[in-house]
Amino acid sequence: MSRGVGPCVLGLETSCDETSAAVLSPDMEVLGHVILSQDVHEVYGGVVPELAARAHLQKVDAVVDEALSQAGLGLADVDVLGVTAGPGLIGPLLVGVCWVKAAAYGLGKPWVPVHHMEAHLFAPSLEDPSAEPPFVALLVSGGHTLLLHAAAWGEYRLLGQTRDDAAGEAFDKVAKLLGLPYPGGPVIERLAATGDPARHALPRPMLARSQRPGDSDYYDFSFSGLKTAVVQLVRNLEAEGRMDDERAHVAAGFQAAAVDVLAAKTLRAVEETGCRRVLLGGGVSANGVLRAEVADRVGSDGSVFHSSVRLALDNGAMVARAARFRFDRGDVAAAWASASASLPFPGLARGAA
Ligand code: KG4
Ligand code: ZN
């Protein structure tokens, strides 16, 4: 590969229900990018791991081929292969990792295991090069809710995380309760736009004015109580035969409560760290109400970074970008490396602001 300085990277993402591959040029341009969403899970109202793994296996060759063809390159032109090695569903993860290991071995090229949530951190920088540390990051996906401070790429401090459901999981579960399809986030956002968020008051779990920095719940999240409150509300409305009329209002009330907690805790991190640069990442960061609320609270003397909706959801481009960062630091995989459903976040230290 002769263009630019540095390697050409192929990134592969198969940790959940998107099969995605991207080719990243040496100067960080996305040359080819394919994201294939599996619709089989809609039938079950959630991701079925075994079906996800099978679907990845069926599609991975075609997805990589198409990304390479968009880039006008062959596999042999790739210098480094990056793949999500965790966290995620082990079957789906293994499909991507085994594919990349085999290709790397066959080509005699290095491969880089990527942490899925670190990849989400890199997504906004693909579209806006100024989306780089230092920043406070709110990472909200179907499996994780993390609030951290990034002093530099690879240097992260965990401030808070969810104690039960992830933010995206809460959107998905509430959507199911409301009789809406999977994934719930985008459907709830659309429906909520037609509802009144104040009509049904819902709790803001783990958010109290009395909390102080240093309290264990100051930055942590909890969404299971909010979900239980929605269960109760839905039961009452159904018993009264009012569910159809109230569905949009319940969706709006739930979204307002979830966004309020996420934005409030992010702002606490901004105030405590003194860092007015905020990055939103992960699938839930596609939510326009969350983006607007955080931007509003950060104000005009700060910056809020997020990617386009396409790159906020799971994708291979963010994996390629994170792999490039790790490769530049020399973090290539050992021969025995594999996938891990609970891969630790690299460079993440624990501690309050
Ligand atoms: O990062 P992601 O694509 O996959 C995981 O790593 O889990 O996130 C998927 C999650 C799902 O729970 C989905 O419902 C949620 O992101 N999501 C949204 C929106 N779009 C996707 N949640 C709220 N509002 C949205 N617009
Ligand atoms: Zn994700």
Side-chain angles (χ1 to χ4, degrees):
M1 186 79 205
S2 56
R3 269 171 299 169
V5 179
C8 175
V9 183
L10 175 75
L12 188 59
E13 159 63 40
T14 66
S15 68
C16 192
D17 57 344
E18 265 84 34
T19 317
S20 179
V23 181
L24 194 67
S25 79
D27 43 17
M28 310 287 184
E29 195 192 334
V30 179
L31 301 175
H33 194 190
V34 178
I35 306 172
L36 193 73
S37 295
Q38 305 173 355
D39 47 16
V40 56
H41 310 292
E42 260 176 50
V43 183
Y44 301 95
V47 178
V48 184
E50 172 67 18
L51 296 182
R54 284 170 192 238
H56 286 306
L57 207 50
Q58 281 164 1
K59 296 293 190 306
V60 62
D61 287 332
V63 166
V64 172
D65 281 352
E66 176 58 22
L68 285 167
S69 121
Q70 286 177 7
L73 298 174
L75 195 53
D77 298 317
V78 168
D79 304 306
V80 176
L81 296 98
V83 60
T84 303
L89 303 168
I90 193 65
L93 286 168
L94 279 167
V95 174
V97 169
C98 290
W99 195 99
V100 159
K101 273 176 97 163
Y105 184 73
L107 295 164
K109 303 275 172 74
W111 72 279
V112 178
V114 167
H115 189 282
H116 183 78
M117 299 312 289
E118 186 178 40
H120 275 302
L121 272 187
F122 276 99
S125 70
L126 287 164
E127 295 167 324
D128 174 3
S130 69
E132 57 176 20
F135 52 63
V136 165
L138 176 70
L139 288 179
V140 271
S141 71
H144 295 85
T145 303
L146 301 169
L147 184 60
L148 51 89
H149 178 258
W153 291 125
E155 266 179 55
Y156 314 120
R157 196 152 42 89
L158 180 66
L159 304 175
Q161 59 189 321
T162 184
R163 296 194 182 174
D164 39 59
D165 293 350
E169 192 178 356
F171 273 88
D172 295 336
K173 286 181 174 171
V174 167
K176 205 168 183 175
L177 284 168
L178 297 179
L180 303 169
Y182 174 87
V187 202
I188 291 213
E189 182 175 6
R190 269 199 302 281
L191 186 62
T194 66
D196 172 9
R199 187 164 165 116
H200 300 289
L202 285 162
R204 271 66 173 153
M206 220 163 272
L207 184 64
R209 276 180 210 277
S210 57
Q211 291 165 334
R212 292 285 166 262
D215 292 352
S216 66
D217 53 4
Y218 189 67
Y219 291 127
D220 274 356
F221 303 92
S222 165
F223 290 103
S224 73
L226 175 55
K227 179 196 64 194
T228 308
V230 176
V231 169
Q232 204 49 53
L233 177 60
V234 167
R235 264 195 210 135
N236 294 344
L237 292 171
E238 273 171 353
E240 294 162 14
R242 294 166 54 210
M243 195 55 220
D244 283 344
D245 294 341
E246 297 297 317
R247 189 171 279 104
H249 303 308
V250 177
F254 160 74
Q255 180 176 257
V259 164
D260 191 14
V261 176
L262 292 168
K265 303 244 169 179
T266 305
L267 260 290
R268 285 179 173 179
V270 166
E271 299 306 339
E272 290 303 310
T273 59
C275 176
R276 301 201 72 81
R277 294 163 58 82
V278 174
L279 180 137
L280 303 175
V284 182
S285 77
N287 189 285
V289 176
L290 175 65
R291 292 174 172 191
E293 189 63 35
V294 172
D296 191 46
R297 295 193 197 191
V298 169
S300 54
D301 59 335
S303 315
V304 179
F305 305 104
H306 55 71
S307 58
S308 61
V309 169
R310 179 170 157 87
L311 293 188
L313 303 173
D314 287 353
N315 68 85
M318 68 180 192
V319 176
R321 178 64 188 84
R324 170 66 189 272
F325 165 70
R326 290 281 152 201
F327 176 78
D328 287 347
R329 287 181 33 142
D331 296 346
V332 296
W336 46 263
S338 186
S340 164
S342 55
L343 192 71
F345 202 127
L348 184 66
R350 281 163 192 272

